[in-house]
Amino acid sequence: MEVQLDNRTTLLFDWGDTLMEDTLGVPGKMCEWPQVKAMPGAEKMLQTLSQSFQICIATGAEQSTEADIRRAFRRVDLDQYIDHYFCRQNTGLSKPDPAFYQFILNELGLAASDVVMIGDHWDKDILPAAGLGMAAVWINVQGQAVDRTELAGERDRLMINVKQCQSLNELAQLLAI
């Protein structure tokens, strides 16, 4: 089932393990790692999406500044597709705090209904964004099950706007690009 993008203007992407590989055990900021890699299919997908949507990064990275994140994206030639970068360093907030997502909406002058959040962590990326009314796509690489008991009442109703896929290639199909 496709995600309806008719009224959506902006796509928020998580950074690590969504658009770029987050190598466990490598210390320091990603922009300083000896080797960085884009996730398979990231460039083609961003190239296509950036023609129709504002593309933003919404990361919970603890150490990296906006400039650091830009440098990491530049190293894999993805920076040309990104319009805005949001992180702890430039928002004063971080995931999974819903205030992080609300800050982004306020900064961009958007309603939640204008945005789709795309990420690989159910608790950090998907639940808080969906809780604010954003559509969301969970890149569920491991095929994990969701504990529906945590989605009672209003949140359960909002979960109608959450879709799943297992890769960026599937995401492109889901978004009908």
Side-chain angles (χ1 to χ4, degrees):
M1 175 178 250
E2 295 176 5
V3 174
Q4 296 302 320
L5 295 175
D6 307 4
N7 61 339
R8 311 292 174 168
T9 62
T10 302
L11 303 176
L12 293 181
F13 282 89
D14 174 53
W15 178 21
D17 287 335
T18 299
L19 290 177
M20 292 179 65
E21 289 183 19
D22 192 354
T23 308
L24 293 177
V26 177
K29 299 175 182 183
M30 188 184 291
C31 66
E32 298 170 350
W33 292 356
Q35 182 178 18
V36 293
K37 292 182 185 178
M39 296 297 285
E43 183 170 14
K44 181 180 179 194
M45 182 205 50
L46 288 174
Q47 181 180 38
T48 301
L49 290 172
S50 66
Q51 295 174 26
S52 302
F53 299 95
Q54 175 174 231
I55 306 290
C56 302
I57 302 303
T59 178
E62 297 288 324
Q63 299 175 356
S64 296
T65 65
E66 180 179 345
D68 295 332
I69 299 165
R70 285 179 187 274
R71 278 182 39 215
F73 272 88
R74 195 173 309 119
R75 288 183 63 193
V76 292
D77 294 324
L78 296 181
D79 60 308
Q80 61 191 313
Y81 308 113
I82 311 300
D83 296 299
H84 300 282
Y85 298 82
F86 297 97
C87 60
R88 175 185 287 275
Q89 298 295 323
N90 67 5
T91 66
L93 302 160
S94 192
K95 299 175 186 179
D97 187 346
F100 174 73
Y101 294 97
Q102 189 61 58
F103 179 95
I104 294 169
L105 293 174
N106 294 344
E107 189 72 17
L108 297 174
L110 298 173
S113 60
D114 296 327
V115 178
V116 178
M117 176 63 200
I118 301 159
D120 67 315
H121 280 89
W122 177 257
D123 294 333
K124 294 178 184 178
D125 301 322
I126 305 309
L127 265 183
L132 288 175
M134 292 180 198
V137 178
W138 182 25
I139 301 178
N140 184 2
V141 176
Q142 304 299 322
Q144 301 169 336
V146 175
D147 181 0
R148 303 297 291 187
T149 60
E150 68 184 84
L151 305 175
E154 181 67 9
R155 276 210 169 149
D156 198 26
R157 185 183 68 76
L158 292 173
M159 296 318 291
I160 293 168
N161 289 327
V162 175
K163 306 296 180 214
Q164 288 187 54
C165 61
Q166 290 191 302
S167 69
L168 290 180
N169 291 329
E170 277 186 49
L171 175 65
Q173 295 171 356
L174 191 67
L175 297 176
I177 59 169

